[in-house]
Each structure stands twice: as C-alpha cells, then as structure tokens.
Amino acid sequence: MADLTRDAQRSRAEKVALRNHLLAARRSKPPEALASAATAVHEALTSLVRQESPTVIAAYVPIGSEPGGPELPEVLREALPSTSLLLLPALLADGDLDWVRYEGPASLSRGPRGLLEPTGPRLGPPAISRADFVVVPALAVDRQGVRMGRGGGSYDRALARVDPTAFTVALLHDGELLDTVPSEPHDRRVRAVITPAEGLSATPDWTK
C-alpha cells in the first residue's frame, strides 16, 4: 500500500510540473502564432467533422492561448449539417459540466473562471451522452491517448458519460502530443488529437 501511495504522489507531482511547464509555454506564444495555429486546427477539425457528419457534437469555447481560439464554435457550426446539434458546456459549482445548445456568438456570456458559456436552457450533465462527436480541451495527450487537462477534473467526469462509440478528439498546440503523460486511474483517453503541424493523429483507441 505504501508503494502505491508513493507512486500516486509521484504521478501527481509529475503532472503538476508538466502542467506548469505547458501553461508557461502557452502564455509565451505571440498573438500571430496563436492565430496561425488556430487556422491550421480549424482546417483539420472541419475536414474531420465533415467526414464524420455527427448528429450531436459537444465542444467548448477556447479562452486565452487555448488551441482553436474563441471562433471554434462558429467554425464547427458552419461545418455541421443543418440538422446537427452543437452543445457547449456550462461550469457548475461542483466543477461538473452542464450542456447547452449553441445558438451563435450572441448567445455566449462570461461565466465562472473567465469562461464563455451559452445562456440557453440547460440540458443537464448527462446530455453529453447523446454526442457522437466530442471535442475536448487538453494541455497534453500521449501517444496512447491519455489526456491531461488543467487539473479540475471537469472533463474526466464529462468523458466518463460519453458513449464508448463516440469520436473524441483533443486540440493541442505543437509540442503537446507527447510520448507519455503522467496518469492516474481517473484520467480518460481520447481517440485522436489535432495539432497545427501534424493535423489529425490517431491514438490506439481509434477504431473505425
């Protein structure tokens, strides 16, 4: 038991160090580099969405230096079939995510922690289980699909509700797709990642 405890503590410490390193690297990116990266990510993601033609897609509004930029919901909406539903998250007080239908830029307002959230009727945390395509934020993903977020656990909880057949993809900057990422039992995997330089990269969980 003591060895397991030490291993868990070591993994958490490694994650904190890596997370701080990646956040600092993102903060150092100049606006023109972020804009260029967002364009490349949009192109790869748009191609994937049109290929998959999802019925319900869950995504988010990137803030700050997150890949994809604040235009991401509009880019997705334009790529989706007119009959598809685009859901965006709203952060709950306990750190879980509720889900709301995206109705355009005017439907977004500032929420907790500086997030942009949709203001329409809330559908409840289980609504993400309806999605057949899920776009998630990440600070890093490894080649096995292990995702590392900011440490709040919101997306680990949300991804636990996603249908196993749904397509899950994380958006990253170049240099954030790593050989290994420190992981804990609650960490969820994704089926693919998109980076500006490499475009779409599959993980072992990608079964077509």
Side-chain angles (χ1 to χ4, degrees):
M1 181 64 70
D3 287 342
L4 292 175
T5 300
R6 282 195 294 270
D7 288 345
Q9 291 173 339
R10 186 182 305 111
S11 180
R12 283 193 289 271
E14 290 172 350
K15 287 176 76 172
V16 169
L18 179 58
R19 185 176 289 120
N20 290 339
H21 169 75
L22 293 169
L23 286 170
R26 285 189 174 186
R27 286 192 294 267
S28 71
K29 293 183 180 297
E32 58 273 18
L34 292 173
S36 176
T39 298
V41 166
H42 292 166
E43 290 176 355
L45 184 57
T46 295
S47 176
L48 180 61
V49 168
R50 288 175 176 159
Q51 172 186 310
E52 297 293 321
S53 296
T55 302
V56 180
I57 183 170
Y60 63 101
V61 187
I63 61 171
S65 57
E66 288 186 319
E71 305 86 4
L72 181 64
E74 274 300 289
V75 170
L76 287 170
R77 186 165 72 156
E78 291 176 5
L80 285 169
S82 60
T83 55
S84 295
L85 179 67
L86 174 56
L87 302 178
L88 298 182
L91 185 65
L92 298 173
D94 65 355
D96 209 343
L97 297 176
D98 207 332
W99 297 91
V100 181
R101 179 169 186 161
Y102 176 63
E103 300 287 359
S107 70
L108 298 176
S109 67
R110 192 66 62 180
R113 304 179 191 175
L115 300 173
L116 283 173
E117 299 182 341
T119 56
R122 297 196 172 189
L123 305 176
I128 195 173
S129 65
R130 299 167 54 193
D132 49 352
F133 192 106
V134 183
V135 186
V136 297
L139 281 176
V141 175
D142 70 18
R143 298 286 178 178
Q144 300 305 306
V146 176
R147 171 191 169 274
M148 188 181 75
R150 289 177 175 265
S154 298
Y155 272 91
D156 287 318
R157 294 161 74 176
L159 286 170
R161 302 184 180 106
V162 172
D163 189 291
T165 64
F167 193 99
T168 52
V169 58
L171 307 184
L172 301 174
H173 285 299
D174 293 329
E176 295 175 348
L177 177 57
L178 307 176
D179 289 336
T180 59
V181 166
S183 64
E184 298 176 79
H186 64 266
D187 290 323
R188 297 285 167 169
R189 296 174 185 264
V190 293
R191 297 176 67 183
V193 303
I194 290 176
T195 63
E198 294 186 41
L200 180 66
S201 296
T203 75
D205 279 349
W206 188 350
T207 56
K208 299 291 285 180

